[in-house]
Amino acid sequence: MNNFMGRSAAAALLAGILAGCGGGSGGGSDVLAGGSGTGGTNTGGTGNPPPPAASSCPPGVAACSGSGEISRTDTIKLTASGVQTMTMSTNDLLATPRARGTDATTAFGLAPNVAGLAEVRVARDAGGPVTNLNLLLSGLGISWDGSTERPAIIETFGLPRSRVTPSAQGLATLAALPAGTDTAFWNNNAATFAGTQANYANNIYFARALSTAHCASGDADCVTAAGNGLRLTRGDWSSGGLRPDEVSASRLHEDGATLAPDQIPFAGFKGYRDVWNWNYRYAHLSGWVTQDTVDIVEWGGTDEHNKARRGVVAFGDVTPPASIPATGSARYTGYARGWYSPDGRVEAFPIAADVEIVVDFAARSATFSVSRLRVDEAQNPSPQLAATSTNTLPFGTPANVLIGAVTHGTASGTAGARFFGPLVDGAPAEIGGSFSVRGPSSTNSPIVDAIFGAGGFIAKRAPLAATP
């Protein structure tokens, strides 16, 4: 049915999005708050690192994660210039098909997912904050007709009413929506379920107003980002601190709705998307969420309901494998961010932590330490992930990769990382990665009845700790 989600549900969904990202700021101040930990002033390396190397991304794109999977270890995937992990909702898997009740209108729970790929592309000036972002999602196991994968998601978080189309210059462009009377384009036939699904994907039916009230006077980057649907919160990394720049965005979407453009009743008719991106000079860390309606009646589906997918991608200007030192040590400090569920069944809670990575280039391994892991936004579910852990990550293939098994309290899984940027004082300038850990299931279920967490981290050079 096209009137799948009530208006009140859409309003509640929007309120939840804003609450989940700290009142629209992406939660940056909440995530990084709570004491100094390994944060504070970071003086490792030189005061003025070199600019990013020439990008291997499409023209017009400053940094990207890569459009294809190179390899996978457990739930961690490597791409050309990134490392990522994904999760999926569980209530849609546990419910009885065609008898879902209120569970059909939302998606919650958290479990590992290895299907699909996320690609993030960003625009920014050298050393500056992100001012434009595209999120490309494919192969996530989301189907409108119950059998075939829906068209790839190209999310720009754009403001104007428009149709999103890929661009030869790397970032998507916004074009005019075809008229509602154009039946050659809007060609879904609800009786036969025929039609071109791609025509009903990646359309922005409801314009949103530009808001720059959060931008400081004269902050042109903030205004530019706002014009592209992003809210910029500046960090202090460029002045010696550890806090990354952040952009965040949310958009209610109508992908898969078969009504004519002017007949869709409200924004969020078929779901929502959310994104945040942290960046230093070379490394980025993006988290994303998409909730989508599947098995849509007008496309031939027989069990219309919602699914959710979320993930974290670390990406940027990767250090060439041949440049990785053969000797010496380097220390990196930064932050982690992600989600966890106490049992895989309930909605995911946001988590944050401090991280420290100490790399021994001669031993081809790194000590990966997590501390002060906490549930963000003043929530106190039980049980929670352990507050600390220390693991050893060996170098992988290619040589700019760290990847291996990790244990975190009663949970275990995998973490992977990449080095980013040129060598600064003999070692790569930055590092970023992703992780996924799960405890034993009390029912031997592969998706629920176990504590589960997933996320990513970003860190920059810091002085080596003094020897006692």
Side-chain angles (χ1 to χ4, degrees):
M1 296 182 295
N2 270 310
N3 58 345
F4 189 67
M5 189 189 304
R7 185 180 298 273
S8 61
L13 178 61
L14 177 58
I17 292 171
L18 296 179
C21 52
S25 67
S29 58
D30 291 338
V31 169
L32 301 182
S36 58
T38 58
T41 301
N42 184 306
T43 58
T46 63
N48 296 291
S55 174
S56 60
C57 301
V61 176
C64 60
S65 58
S67 59
E69 178 183 329
I70 294 175
S71 64
R72 177 170 68 86
T73 302
D74 191 20
T75 57
I76 305 300
K77 295 184 178 186
L78 294 182
T79 57
S81 51
V83 55
Q84 63 181 270
T85 192
M86 291 187 186
T87 72
M88 61 183 176
S89 55
T90 60
N91 73 308
D92 52 295
L93 302 174
L94 299 172
T96 302
R98 290 171 290 281
R100 298 175 181 274
T102 56
D103 264 11
T105 63
T106 188
F108 52 88
L110 195 71
N113 178 44
V114 298
L117 192 77
E119 180 183 1
V120 184
R121 299 178 179 183
V122 299
R124 61 185 290 213
D125 292 331
V130 168
T131 55
N132 202 351
L133 182 150
N134 285 184
L135 174 65
L136 291 76
L137 304 173
S138 59
L140 300 182
I142 297 173
S143 174
W144 293 346
D145 59 19
S147 59
T148 58
E149 185 75 17
R150 60 147 290 165
I153 295 169
I154 309 172
E155 181 59 72
T156 67
F157 301 94
L159 300 178
R161 176 182 167 97
S162 54
R163 175 163 174 75
V164 178
T165 56
S167 169
Q169 295 302 307
L171 291 178
T173 58
L174 302 182
L177 277 172
T181 55
D182 185 353
T183 55
F185 186 87
W186 307 109
N187 59 2
N188 170 264
N189 186 321
T192 64
F193 315 127
T196 307
Q197 289 194 9
N199 294 352
Y200 295 85
N202 306 313
N203 297 322
I204 301 174
Y205 298 107
F206 295 89
R208 295 180 294 155
L210 171 66
S211 175
T212 60
H214 62 284
C215 295
S217 177
D219 191 340
D221 287 330
C222 184
V223 173
T224 299
N228 290 317
L230 305 176
R231 184 183 181 94
L232 170 63
T233 303
R234 289 186 178 271
D236 60 5
W237 67 268
S238 61
S239 58
L242 199 58
R243 185 185 295 270
D245 291 332
E246 177 179 8
V247 291
S248 59
S250 299
R251 192 179 75 84
L252 300 165
H253 76 78
E254 301 76 41
D255 279 13
T258 59
L259 294 169
D262 295 323
Q263 295 178 349
I264 295 176
F266 53 84
F269 196 48
K270 292 299 182 186
Y272 74 94
R273 298 197 183 100
D274 192 14
V275 73
W276 51 262
N277 183 88
W278 284 350
N279 74 269
Y280 289 138
R281 183 176 295 270
Y282 309 105
H284 294 254
L285 185 70
S286 284
W288 57 269
V289 183
T290 183
Q291 179 172 303
D292 296 82
T293 304
V294 300
D295 273 345
I296 299 171
V297 171
E298 289 79 8
W299 291 109
T302 60
D303 183 27
E304 193 160 330
H305 61 284
N306 275 250
K307 288 186 176 183
R309 300 288 186 264
R310 66 183 73 211
V312 176
V313 186
F315 67 101
D317 299 297
V318 292
T319 307
S323 297
I324 301 300
T327 60
S329 300
R331 176 172 172 257
Y332 302 82
T333 57
Y335 300 110
R337 186 175 181 181
W339 304 275
Y340 107 103
S341 175
D343 58 5
R345 294 177 179 269
V346 302
E347 179 59 291
F349 293 91
I351 55 174
D354 300 334
V355 297
E356 179 187 57
I357 302 102
V358 179
V359 184
D360 184 335
F361 292 103
R364 313 310 276 175
S365 67
T367 301
F368 174 47
S369 299
V370 176
S371 62
R372 243 174 28 94
L373 191 148
R374 58 214 180 265
V375 179
D376 193 30
E377 300 176 346
Q379 300 179 84
N380 192 34
S382 180
Q384 294 185 17
L385 290 166
T388 63
S389 66
T390 298
N391 289 274
T392 299
L393 295 180
F395 277 44
T397 302
N400 57 6
V401 171
L402 298 166
I403 193 161
V406 295
T407 299
H408 188 86
T410 60
S412 60
T414 305
R418 303 292 286 267
F419 292 104
F420 297 101
L423 301 192
V424 176
D425 290 348
E430 296 167 7
I431 195 169
S434 59
F435 63 86
S436 176
V437 293
R438 187 171 186 261
S441 171
S442 61
T443 59
N444 294 319
S445 168
I447 60 170
V448 294
D449 300 325
I451 193 169
F452 172 65
F457 54 92
I458 186 174
K460 56 182 291 200
R461 286 286 300 282
L464 287 167
T467 302

